[in-house]
Amino acid sequence: MIKLARNSFAAIAFGLINTSNAQADTVEFKLQEVAKGLHVLFGQGGNIAISSGSDGVYIVDDQFAKLSEQIKAKIKTIQPNAPEFVINTHHHGDHTGGNENFAQAGSHVIAHHNVYKRLEQKHGDGSDYLPTLTFGSDMKLHFNQEHAHLWHYHHAHTDGDAVIFFDRANAVHMGDIYFNLGSLPFVDVDSGGSLDGVIKAIQDVIMKIDDKTTVIPGHGPVTDKQNLQDYLALLQKAKTIMLDAMKNNTSLEEVVAARPLQILNLNYANWLPEERVTTLFYRSLK
Ligand SMILES: [Zn+2]
């Protein structure tokens, strides 16, 4: 009896804590129109692109599951349709967390074959988190008088990255191949990512776009080709510094202790400190 009462109290207390956490967690969404029929929605997690027009709506990435209702509400401020398609730029949870909710609302999820494999490992066969359409090297989506070209880059941020080129809007969504946060990126070496792959992907994107192209990063504000070129230069510099520090078979521990990237004088996020970047770059370049 006493135990039950205590449990009830604990449940109530936990409920209260959860409620206050939920309030503290309130996400501020910001919607930016980058071209006619193309918006970017900033919330928590990867940036979402929204295509709207005569055929309906589709989106690129869907952030976290808990935000799906808010994301749907934001989409409705542009056009009342539920998204026909959801394109995933890669498998990470801050870009695919809403897949199940959107699939159950009727959206078809599109992604690279390797995104399917990784989401299947995580969520199991038959899960609504899995894409219904997958592709290899590239794919085109002709919808809303737009020709969205989904282009796969090998071993960049992960092994399943897609960059989406919007021909008519003259915009590109780069997923996490581009972190526009004024610092070095997360290269997910454990999911098949590599620093060289990120550099090659950015070089290719730069060749495919022009000075007026809107560049949508996976995280951070919308920007342009010039900033992407500066980011490429930073990555190349970081690579040179790392290779220099790794000369003569220096061990990972020694390189991390020497802090070679310190010279770049960058700020690091709490979840991605300099030590972790150094470790991932080392493992990638080794
Ligand atoms: Zn990612």
Side-chain angles (χ1 to χ4, degrees):
M1 204 44 188
I2 291 164
K3 198 177 169 190
L4 187 80
R6 272 189 193 151
N7 280 349
S8 304
F9 176 75
I12 292 162
F14 186 63
L16 287 173
I17 290 161
N18 267 354
T19 308
S20 59
N21 270 353
Q23 277 162 355
D25 257 16
T26 302
V27 175
E28 285 266 334
F29 283 93
K30 199 188 103 197
L31 199 56
Q32 181 181 349
E33 186 175 29
V34 296
K36 192 175 180 291
L38 190 69
H39 289 75
V40 178
L41 180 63
F42 304 89
Q44 191 182 62
N47 294 334
I48 297 175
I50 305 168
S51 167
S52 57
S54 55
D55 296 322
V57 171
Y58 68 90
I59 62 175
V60 179
D61 287 343
D62 54 26
Q63 297 186 355
F64 298 104
K66 63 175 183 178
L67 305 176
S68 297
E69 290 314 309
Q70 284 170 271
I71 292 166
K72 284 178 195 167
K74 285 288 168 194
I75 294 168
K76 279 192 180 130
T77 65
I78 304 168
Q79 196 167 312
N81 312 55
E84 193 81 26
F85 304 101
V86 174
I87 300 166
N88 292 153
T89 58
H90 62 294
H91 74 283
H92 285 154
D94 57 330
H95 299 256
T96 61
N99 277 10
E100 183 182 46
N101 293 332
F102 280 97
Q104 287 171 2
S107 307
H108 303 283
V109 178
I110 304 173
H112 184 263
H113 299 315
N114 290 341
V115 173
Y116 185 99
K117 281 187 206 159
R118 293 197 177 276
L119 291 178
E120 188 181 32
Q121 280 164 10
K122 188 177 172 190
H123 299 287
D125 181 31
S127 162
D128 281 335
Y129 277 97
L130 309 188
T132 48
L133 295 158
T134 61
F135 65 94
S137 60
D138 75 314
M139 170 176 183
K140 276 197 172 185
L141 181 59
H142 306 279
F143 201 81
N144 289 339
Q145 284 93 51
E146 178 59 270
H147 308 283
H149 201 164
L150 288 59
W151 198 271
H152 169 61
Y153 289 98
H154 303 291
H155 304 293
H157 173 60
T158 68
D159 63 3
D161 297 313
V163 167
I164 295 88
F165 296 87
F166 299 93
D167 282 3
R168 204 180 58 137
N170 193 13
V172 60
H173 190 313
M174 297 193 58
D176 283 358
I177 286 174
Y178 187 15
F179 279 73
N180 185 23
L181 300 170
S183 192
L184 294 170
F186 171 46
V187 176
D188 191 351
V189 177
D190 295 308
S191 300
S194 74
L195 179 58
D196 278 328
V198 171
I199 288 172
K200 274 189 200 150
I202 294 170
Q203 284 170 329
D204 190 73
V205 171
I206 285 171
M207 278 189 348
K208 287 185 161 88
I209 64 176
D210 61 50
D211 291 342
K212 291 196 171 118
T213 306
T214 301
V215 178
I216 306 164
H219 299 269
V222 162
T223 183
D224 58 16
K225 184 178 176 179
Q226 182 58 55
N227 274 315
L228 187 59
Q229 282 168 324
D230 294 346
Y231 183 68
L232 173 65
L234 173 67
L235 296 193
Q236 286 169 324
K237 198 169 174 187
K239 180 185 165 181
T240 304
I241 290 167
M242 284 298 298
L243 287 176
D244 198 46
M246 289 163 68
K247 260 195 255 171
N248 313 318
N249 273 328
T250 319
S251 72
L252 171 62
E253 292 70 25
E254 285 170 312
V255 171
V256 168
R259 299 189 60 194
L261 295 172
Q262 199 181 11
I263 195 168
L264 293 173
N265 204 17
L266 299 167
N267 293 316
Y268 293 86
N270 288 339
W271 67 275
L272 190 65
E274 183 192 317
E275 185 187 335
R276 191 170 176 212
V277 174
T278 310
T279 301
L280 289 168
F281 281 15
Y282 180 98
R283 289 177 56 209
S284 177
L285 295 167
K286 194 72 187 165

